[in-house]
Amino acid sequence: MEQAEIGLIGLGVMGSNLSLNIAEKGNKIAVFNRTAEVTRKFHAEAGALQNQIVPCETLGEFVAAIRPPRPIIIMIKAGDPVDQQMEHLKPYLSTGDIMIDAGNANFRDTMRRFDNLKDSGLTFIGMGVSGGEEGARHGPSIMVGGTEESWKRVEKVLTSISAKFNGEPCVAWLGENGAGHFVKTIHNGIEYADMQMIAEIYGILRDGLGMSASEIGNVFGRWNTGRLNSYLIEISEKVLKANDPISGKPMVDVIVDRAGQKGTGKWSVIEAQNMGVAATAIEAAVAGRILSSQREERVAAERIFGLPKAERPKDGMAFLADLENALLAAKIGAYAQGFAVMAAASAEYNWNLPMPTIARIWRAGCIIRSQFLDEITSAFTKDPHVANLIVTPAFSKMVKETDGALRRVVSYAALSGLPVPALSSALSYFDAYRRSRGTANLIQAQRDFFGAHGFDRLDGVDKHHGPWGSGLEEFA
Ligand code: 6PG
C-alpha cells in the first residue's frame, strides 16, 4: 500500500479540519487519536476523502503508515500534553523523523523541545497555524520554524494546504527552532491589539453616538470596502448584525463583556518587555482583557462614580470619517510595534526573520489578514531593515493623513469617559517616537539625584553627575 506523506495526531476540531484539508489537496495522510473511537468516526465521516486517509488505532501502526523521514503533526492542547505525546511517540520513530507541534505553543517550549531532540537523530518543527477552524479546513496561514532540511520535507504538503493570496501561498520557513511559534505569538499579539481597537471604536459608536448594533454593523460594512478592509472588520459587521434566537435582541447585546485569553497576547508583551521594545498597543489590549474580566469590580465602581455624559459630536458624518481614519492610524502603530518586536527577537535569537515574507504570508488565511498587510509587504520589500514601519514612505504618508483624526477621537473619548487604552497608547507611542527632545532628561536627573546613576550631557562635556548635593539632606 502507498505510504502516507504525512501523519497527524489529535483529531479535535483543528486537527480534523487540517487533516481533511491535507487529504483534499491530494496528500495521503495517516491519522491517530488517543481515543480510537474518535479516529473511526472521523474516517467514517470523511466521505470522498476516505481513500486519502489512513485511520490508525495504535502508534506503531500509525508510524509504519508514513513514508520516512516521517513528518508528524501534533495538534493537541498546548503545554504538557505536547511533551507527553512526544515521549509516547519517540520510541516508534527513526532517524530523520520530524515531530511538528502545530498548536499555539510558547516559543520557549519550542526551543526546549528542539534542543532536547538534538542528539536523538529526530528533529522538531514549531509551526504556527492561523485562521481558526475555517482556515485549518480550507487554507490557513502557516509559520514554520525548524531546520531548513526538515522544512524541505514538508514544504510541498504545507504549500498545498495553505491559503493563497493572488495565487501566492501563505506559508514560509521563517528560521530555526522557535522562529515559527514566535512569529505566531506576535501575530496573536497584533490580533489582540486590532480586536481591542475595533472594540474601542464600537464603544464610541455605541456609548458616544448612541448607535444600535446593526447600525454599527453597517458602519463597519462600509469601512470594509475602504482602507480598513480586513477579516476582523468583516466579521465585526457580521456579529453586530446577528440576532439572538432566544431573546431576539442583537447577539452582542446579550454577551457578557468579559474577554477570555489563552496566553499568546501576554507572551507577546512579556517578550517585548524582555527585549526592551515598546509594544504599548499590545500591552493595552492585554490589560483591556484583564480589566474586562474584573466585571464585579467594574459594576461596583460604576455605582460609586457613575458615568460621565458623552456629548454627541456636532458633525456626525465628519466624526464617522474621523473614527475610520483614527482606527487606521492606531492600527499602523500596533503593527509597527509587532514588527519591531519581531525584529528585536530576530537579532536576539539569530533567526534572520524575513519581515517582507512574514507580512506576505499574513495577507490571507490568518485572523489578521487584510489589504493593509499587502501594503506592509510592499513597504518591507522596499526596505526590509527599516527601523520602524511608521517611517517608511508609504506608512509615514498614511500616518500624516490620519493622526489628526486619531487625536480628535482620543480627545473625544477622554472627555466622554469612554475607555480607549489601545487607541490612546498608539497615539502616545507615535507622539513619543517622532519627538526628538523628550522628557527623559528629567528622569535621568531624578535617577542621578537619588541614586547617582549618572547621565549624558547634550553638549558632550565629560561631567556625568549633577550638582544636587548628597540627596540625603532631607534626612538630616
Ligand atoms: C488564529 C488565532 C487562534 C486563536 C487564538 C485566540 O490565529 O487562528 O489567533 O490562534 O483564536 O488562540 O486566542 P485567545 O483565546 O487568547 O484570544
Side-chain angles (χ1 to χ4, degrees):
M1 193 176 75
E2 184 204 351
Q3 281 189 300
E5 202 43 43
I6 195 161
L8 185 140
I9 296 179
L11 292 170
V13 181
M14 290 296 284
S16 302
N17 281 357
L18 208 60
S19 302
L20 293 172
N21 186 3
I22 292 171
E24 190 177 66
K25 302 295 158 19
N27 311 288
K28 195 158 196 169
I29 177 168
V31 295
F32 174 85
N33 196 76
R34 201 173 41 171
T35 318
E37 185 48 36
V38 173
T39 312
R40 270 179 241 136
K41 189 163 176 285
F42 170 73
H43 189 244
E45 291 171 0
L49 298 175
Q50 263 180 3
N51 289 343
Q52 290 291 103
I53 299 170
V54 189
C56 304
E57 299 201 0
T58 65
L59 278 176
E61 188 193 331
F62 170 72
V63 169
I66 308 164
R67 175 175 77 80
R70 306 175 181 87
I72 296 175
I73 297 176
I74 300 174
M75 193 54 138
I76 60 176
K77 197 172 173 309
D80 289 344
V82 174
D83 290 306
Q84 287 159 17
Q85 185 59 67
M86 287 174 69
E87 281 312 308
H88 287 145
L89 188 57
K90 247 162 107 179
Y92 298 94
L93 300 180
S94 333
T95 303
D97 288 351
I98 311 158
M99 291 193 261
I100 306 170
D101 178 10
N104 269 335
N106 187 315
F107 87 105
R108 293 184 182 277
D109 286 335
T110 304
M111 308 271 263
R112 170 179 55 78
R113 289 171 184 143
F114 190 87
D115 280 349
N116 285 349
L117 288 179
K118 236 178 196 149
D119 302 318
S120 67
L122 303 175
T123 187
F124 190 72
I125 284 181
M127 181 168 100
V129 179
S130 178
E133 297 172 19
E134 268 299 295
R137 179 65 185 86
H138 299 292
S141 169
I142 307 175
M143 295 143 254
V144 179
T147 63
E148 193 167 8
E149 196 189 348
S150 58
W151 156 244
K152 290 263 176 286
R153 173 67 181 88
V154 291
E155 183 175 359
K156 200 159 149 267
V157 174
L158 296 183
T159 302
S160 75
I161 65 163
S162 74
K164 309 288 179 300
F165 182 89
N166 292 340
E168 286 180 59
C170 292
V171 56
W173 174 62
L174 300 175
E176 295 275 327
N177 51 56
H181 275 145
F182 189 89
V183 171
K184 176 61 180 23
T185 296
I186 301 306
H187 165 281
N188 282 25
I190 295 173
E191 172 187 303
Y192 272 52
D194 210 335
M195 292 167 76
Q196 173 70 24
M197 287 169 173
I198 294 172
E200 289 174 12
I201 296 283
Y202 156 73
I204 294 174
L205 291 167
R206 185 188 69 183
D207 302 329
L209 277 65
M211 290 169 75
S212 69
S214 70
E215 286 169 338
I216 302 171
N218 286 334
V219 170
F220 286 165
R222 275 200 304 282
W223 290 356
N224 200 36
T225 61
R227 290 199 288 187
L228 289 172
N229 173 262
S230 63
Y231 173 72
L232 284 171
I233 290 286
E234 180 193 323
I235 64 163
S236 300
E237 177 191 3
K238 288 188 178 146
V239 299
L240 283 159
K241 288 187 176 169
N243 284 325
D244 172 27
I246 298 172
S247 64
K249 291 182 185 160
M251 200 64 228
V252 286
D253 290 349
V254 299
I255 297 177
V256 176
D257 54 333
R258 194 191 280 138
Q261 50 175 322
K262 289 198 284 289
T264 45
K266 183 174 77 179
W267 299 339
S268 300
V269 173
I270 291 172
E271 298 308 334
Q273 294 273 3
N274 276 341
M275 290 180 298
V277 179
T280 55
I282 304 174
E283 284 169 21
V286 175
R289 288 201 191 187
I290 294 169
L291 270 167
S292 84
S293 70
Q294 297 166 346
R295 185 152 181 270
E296 289 70 26
E297 286 182 52
R298 288 189 287 115
V299 169
E302 185 176 324
R303 273 195 222 109
I304 296 171
F305 297 107
L307 292 175
K309 191 168 160 20
E311 297 293 333
R312 295 276 171 96
K314 286 199 184 61
D315 183 345
M317 287 314 282
F319 192 64
L320 277 183
D322 268 355
L323 286 170
E324 183 178 7
N325 283 326
L327 187 49
L328 182 67
K331 197 169 149 149
I332 293 171
Y335 281 65
Q337 292 174 359
F339 275 93
V341 177
M342 291 191 288
S346 181
E348 175 102 4
Y349 300 102
N350 293 318
W351 285 327
N352 205 10
L353 291 178
M355 298 305 158
T357 304
I358 294 170
R360 186 170 60 69
I361 65 170
W362 285 354
R363 291 178 303 177
C366 68
I367 302 296
I368 62 171
R369 62 185 180 259
S370 65
Q371 194 54 43
F372 183 73
L373 272 159
D374 196 31
E375 298 175 64
I376 298 183
T377 307
S378 307
F380 278 126
T381 304
K382 285 185 194 129
D383 192 351
H385 302 295
V386 65
N388 191 303
L389 182 69
I390 58 179
V391 300
T392 59
F395 282 85
S396 58
K397 182 166 172 285
M398 267 189 254
V399 171
K400 284 179 191 170
E401 284 164 12
T402 54
D403 79 299
L406 180 56
R407 231 167 270 293
R408 287 187 290 277
V409 166
V410 169
S411 308
Y412 169 80
L415 291 172
S416 307
L418 298 170
V420 286
L423 295 175
S424 59
S425 72
L427 178 61
S428 290
Y429 172 75
F430 169 62
D431 280 337
Y433 188 79
R434 62 91 177 265
R435 181 167 286 270
S436 60
R437 176 71 170 154
T439 55
N441 48 324
L442 178 61
I443 295 170
Q444 285 297 77
Q446 290 165 335
R447 293 176 68 244
D448 191 54
F449 185 101
F450 61 65
H453 295 291
F455 50 75
D456 292 330
R457 293 174 55 103
L458 280 173
D459 57 14
V461 173
D462 192 17
K463 259 211 161 305
H464 298 286
H465 290 288
W468 346 104
S470 71
L472 295 173
E473 289 85 348
E474 65 177 294
F475 299 108

